[in-house]
Amino acid sequence: MICSRGPMARLLPTTNGSQICVYSNLCFICVNLWLISFSMNPEIRVRFAPSPTGYLHIGGARTALFNWLFARHHGGKLVLRIEDTDIKRNTEEAAAAIYEGLEWLGLNWDAGPHIGGDLGPYFQSQRTDIYERHLKQLQDAGHIFEDAGALRFRSPREHVVVNDLVCGKIDFDLTNPGTHPDMTIRRPDGSWIFHFVNVIDDIEMKISHVIRGEDHLSNTPKHIELYRALGAAPPHFAHIPLILNRDGSKMSKRDAGARLATYIEQGYTPEAVRNYLCLLGWSPKDNREKIDIDEVVKLFELEKINRRNAAFDLDKCFWLNGQYIAQMSLDRFIELARPFLEKAKIDISDQAYLRAVLSIAKEKIKLLNDVPEWTRYFFTEQYEFDPTAVEKVFGKPEAAERLIALRDEFAKIENWNVEKIEISLKTLAQKLGCKTGDLVHPARVAASGRSVGPSLYHMLEVMGKKRVLARFDRAIEKFAPPPRVSS
RNA sequence: GGCGCGUUCGUCUAGUGGUUAGGACACAGCCCUCUCAAGGCUGGUGCACGGGUUCGACUCCCGUACGCGCUGCCA
């Protein structure tokens, strides 16, 4: 038996694997030569092969990410293959969620739907001829038997060692038919079973590394049996740990947060989610949390992947999202925030004003979904007044008087800017003998209807003098206590 | 049930025989402050359990428990 692993192995006929390459695993020499040839190896081809369920699972997204990282790290290719053997309706529609999710995460593929490629088609439903051909090959070799109309693959009944790049060497005993029955590869109605078509496609598409969820680890020896029966060298395998819920239970599609789309809808940024996903099972090992994707590509190695399942920590993802928003450029923030503002039907036609508003709101935003709430009052005079804020601030009888005084001081300002506004307010506070906050709070509620928001001075500057004075006037009229009637 | 994988703070992780077991999120307190955040500082919480091996185990081996996966004519 020759060492069937590794691109270099085939180029080295002198490598006598009969003694060192047990179970067709990598021999030591091959490993080293293979590792040397590892960087920027165009022979490296990986694939992401989701079933078109109508949504992209967060675990699937990470599997896609790890495949993408591996391909990019080595200068290899990523293939996207849609495994639609079982789902006969609306495949394209259901697959759209997958494309959208991958694109949102910035994970491009080198062959597959929309892109094409030499080794297509990339929908299993369109590959029947290929499967028929390989089935015939197996039948001719006597590997197939019929059972109640279905076709089964007769297991060779041997031990199969899986040499997993993440999990290490694992010996599976497949000799007992009672515990490892012969797998079905085709149903009586002619449709194909996953194990068979998956292997055929990986062979046909020249996949060098199969990086997939650990739920497939136990299936792998069966797949290797198929490779051998077909006379093909099995690819390298890397089974990555699963993503669980916070409580350690398996994340099923019904769990909140299982669908990538929920993160998109809630206003997480793609860079933050992608970064968070990178850290689930993989680590740069230097305590970095926010790490640029280019840096991850540079550092990513399958050997650094954990073997233990990871719980999805929404708190941390949320924190990371805030970090990304705080540190991203204003242009990027505007780009990301715009659809959320449009969806909230906020009039953002004034680009310069929008830019000014977002520049001061940016530091407050943790979730893009919150942008409308934090900025709506900038764009309309019909903003709501938070009853609690009004009660707290204008509950004090002096508040209205102070606001009136502030309004008069502000009216005198010629160059309406942050510095002038601040000086004006603080000077007045001193004059009235009150705290700065005693003016700031009424001003804030009057101008925005809220008790929280960006720096007041910046906020007022952006709104403009005219708008601010008008809002003060209306607030004074609305919240000033009625004049006392003395008897 | 059988087989496989896993087990370091609540969570994500660093750590491969000798560390005061490090970082991050979350949490608590303090500082700063016009609010809310952010930021800074401080703090508590962890090697699942039991046996080995060793001068010495979080680290290596075995077992137990627990978790997860596979065991489909789902993928």
Side-chain angles (χ1 to χ4, degrees), chain A residues 6-53:
Chain A
M8 292 304 288
R10 281 170 229 152
L11 304 176
L12 291 171
T14 53
T15 300
N16 181 354
S18 61
Q19 293 181 328
I20 39 185
C21 297
V22 287
Y23 299 121
S24 82
N25 294 312
L26 274 171
C27 71
F28 187 71
I29 296 165
C30 296
V31 169
N32 287 306
L33 289 168
W34 177 63
L35 284 173
I36 290 164
S37 68
F38 219 19
S39 46
M40 303 313 284
N41 190 335
E43 296 300 307
I44 285 182
R45 290 173 62 87
V46 294
R47 73 340 187 244
F48 176 53
S51 177
T53 51

Side-chain angles (χ1 to χ4, degrees), chain A residues 10 42-50 67 76-85 109-113 116-128 130-131 133-134 196-210 227 230 232-235:
Chain A
R10 281 170 229 152
E43 296 300 307
I44 285 182
R45 290 173 62 87
V46 294
R47 73 340 187 244
F48 176 53
N67 274 282
K77 303 288 188 206
L78 172 63
V79 177
L80 176 61
R81 181 174 75 226
I82 304 299
E83 304 217 331
D84 56 345
T85 55
W109 53 98
D110 305 296
D118 300 336
L119 302 172
Y122 296 94
F123 289 85
Q124 289 187 328
S125 57
Q126 297 168 17
R127 298 174 62 80
T128 301
I130 296 167
Y131 306 141
R133 199 174 74 230
H134 287 83
F196 179 69
V197 293
N198 184 268
V199 165
I200 301 300
D201 287 345
D202 284 343
I203 294 170
E204 286 288 310
M205 295 180 182
K206 303 187 190 307
I207 299 304
S208 64
H209 294 71
V210 169
Y227 280 101
L230 289 159

Side-chain angles (χ1 to χ4, degrees), chain A residues 212-388:
Chain A
R212 73 217 318 188
E214 199 199 80
D215 48 340
H216 288 298
L217 182 58
S218 297
N219 289 327
T220 305
K222 290 193 293 193
H223 295 178
I224 289 176
E225 286 185 330
L226 281 176
Y227 280 101
R228 289 179 180 165
L230 289 159
H236 303 278
F237 290 98
H239 288 92
I240 65 180
L242 270 20
I243 296 179
L244 309 174
N245 289 313
R246 240 344 255 281
D247 63 4
S249 62
K250 186 191 176 187
M251 196 180 254
S252 72
K253 62 184 168 192
R254 296 190 64 185
D255 288 308
R259 293 165 53 246
L260 182 74
T262 61
Y263 300 91
I264 303 176
E265 288 156 12
Q266 286 172 32
Y268 284 86
T269 68
E271 40 271 70
V273 172
R274 187 175 58 197
N275 190 151
Y276 181 70
L277 253 21
C278 285
L279 263 23
L280 236 37
W282 177 88
S283 159
K285 311 234 183 244
D286 58 7
N287 289 337
R288 271 184 293 180
E289 307 291 337
K290 181 169 181 283
I291 175 167
D292 195 87
I293 192 66
D294 293 335
E295 191 67 16
V296 179
V297 167
K298 209 175 292 176
L299 297 173
F300 188 82
E301 284 167 12
L302 295 175
E303 291 73 13
K304 283 198 216 140
I305 294 176
N306 271 331
R307 298 173 73 167
R308 60 180 292 214
N309 294 162
F312 193 98
D313 184 355
L314 191 60
D315 283 332
K316 187 154 182 176
C317 187
F318 178 79
W319 169 80
L320 203 49
N321 199 54
Q323 293 290 306
Y324 268 94
I325 288 176
Q327 293 170 35
M328 71 174 50
S329 71
L330 179 57
D331 284 328
R332 175 62 173 157
F333 181 60
I334 294 169
E335 180 188 357
L336 291 171
R338 178 170 269 121
F340 288 86
L341 290 162
E342 286 168 350
K343 192 180 169 197
K345 300 221 181 343
I346 292 172
D347 178 10
I348 53 170
S349 50
D350 185 338
Q351 297 302 302
Y353 186 53
L354 171 68
R355 189 178 181 81
V357 169
L358 291 184
S359 75
I360 61 170
K362 180 167 169 282
E363 63 177 86
K364 300 292 168 189
I365 302 298
K366 293 294 179 40
L367 237 34
L368 296 168
N369 212 17
D370 294 336
V371 171
E373 275 316 291
W374 280 88
T375 59
R376 175 174 273 109
Y377 58 81
F378 280 98
F379 300 95
T380 174
E381 296 308 307
Q382 264 63 59
Y383 54 94
E384 302 274 318
F385 282 89
D386 171 21
T388 310

Side-chain angles (χ1 to χ4, degrees), chain A residues 18 57 74 76 81 87 94-95 105 114-115 117 142 144 213 239-240 290-291 329 336 427 429 460-461 484-485:
Chain A
S18 61
H57 190 274
H74 292 295
R81 181 174 75 226
I87 296 155
L105 285 169
H114 305 335
I115 302 275
I144 305 298
H239 288 92
I240 65 180
K290 181 169 181 283
I291 175 167
S329 71
L336 291 171
T427 306
L460 297 183
E461 182 196 66
R484 288 176 201 161
V485 182

Side-chain angles (χ1 to χ4, degrees), chain A residues 412-429:
Chain A
K412 297 176 195 161
I413 297 176
E414 305 238 334
N415 294 319
W416 184 258
N417 62 42
V418 178
E419 292 77 22
K420 290 277 167 45
I421 295 167
E422 180 168 358
I423 290 168
S424 172
L425 185 145
K426 285 188 171 168
T427 306
L428 178 64

